[in-house]
Structures are given as structure tokens and as C-alpha cells.
Amino acid sequence: MTTPSGASTPDDYWRRPGPGDGGAAEPAATPTGGYAGPPASTPPPAGWRPPVHLEPTAPRRLPAQDMAALDTAEQRSQRVTYGFGAAVGVVLVVLVCLLCSRIIF
């Protein structure tokens, strides 16, 4: 932050400059005709692109999916997940019961 200098008060630093002060730039004049659009550009010369030496191969077709087999596999994995979750839940309930019975008795 700069500080005011000279024989001015501290508030003079924060005041707007007057119309005759040289410290501020004058606002730009707006054109009366409106927006003229972007400047015209020159088109690129013919053949400006680099040469293409190799053409990519066409994409392969993906193998067909057996939706019935996918649904069966998903149901099987869901049953396994629920089975493990139930086993872990039973073990946790037994552990909590053992710990609570140890605290109470």
C-alpha cells in the first residue's frame, strides 16, 4: 500500500480525481455505429495441413453380450455378498453380547 505524499490530508488519497487531474485516464469514447464485428481474417493457404501417411483402421465390433447369463451371475454374486454380510452381522452381535455380559456380570 502506498501512502499519500506532499501537503495533502490522508483522505485525499481515497478521493476520485477531478476532471482536470492528469493522474486518471479519460474514459474511452464509445463508437456511435455500434459493434462492427471482429476484424476480417485471411484464409489459410491451400495445403496448410500436414500430410497424412497412415489411415487408422476401422474400429472392431464388440462381441455380443448374453444378458441372461449376466443377470444370473449378478444374482449369484448378490447372494454371496448378502451371505457374507449376514455372517459378519451374526458374529458382531455375538461379540457385542459377550462384551455386554462381561461388563454387567
Side-chain angles (χ1 to χ4, degrees):
M1 182 175 145
T2 59
T3 57
S5 60
S8 61
T9 63
D11 289 336
D12 286 343
Y13 180 74
W14 300 106
R15 288 198 181 121
R16 290 181 183 248
D21 294 340
E26 295 296 321
T30 58
T32 57
Y35 179 63
S41 62
T42 58
W48 65 275
R49 294 183 187 268
V52 178
H53 296 290
L54 296 175
E55 291 293 327
T57 59
R60 317 180 268 126
R61 301 265 316 157
L62 292 175
Q65 295 181 352
D66 185 8
M67 298 306 273
L70 286 174
D71 288 339
T72 305
E74 184 178 356
Q75 289 170 357
R76 233 181 328 188
S77 64
Q78 191 175 22
R79 270 188 250 129
V80 169
T81 302
Y82 287 159
F84 277 120
V88 168
V90 168
V91 168
L92 287 177
V93 167
V94 169
L95 284 176
V96 167
C97 289
L98 286 174
L99 288 174
C100 288
S101 66
R102 181 124 182 161
I103 292 172
I104 293 174
F105 299 113

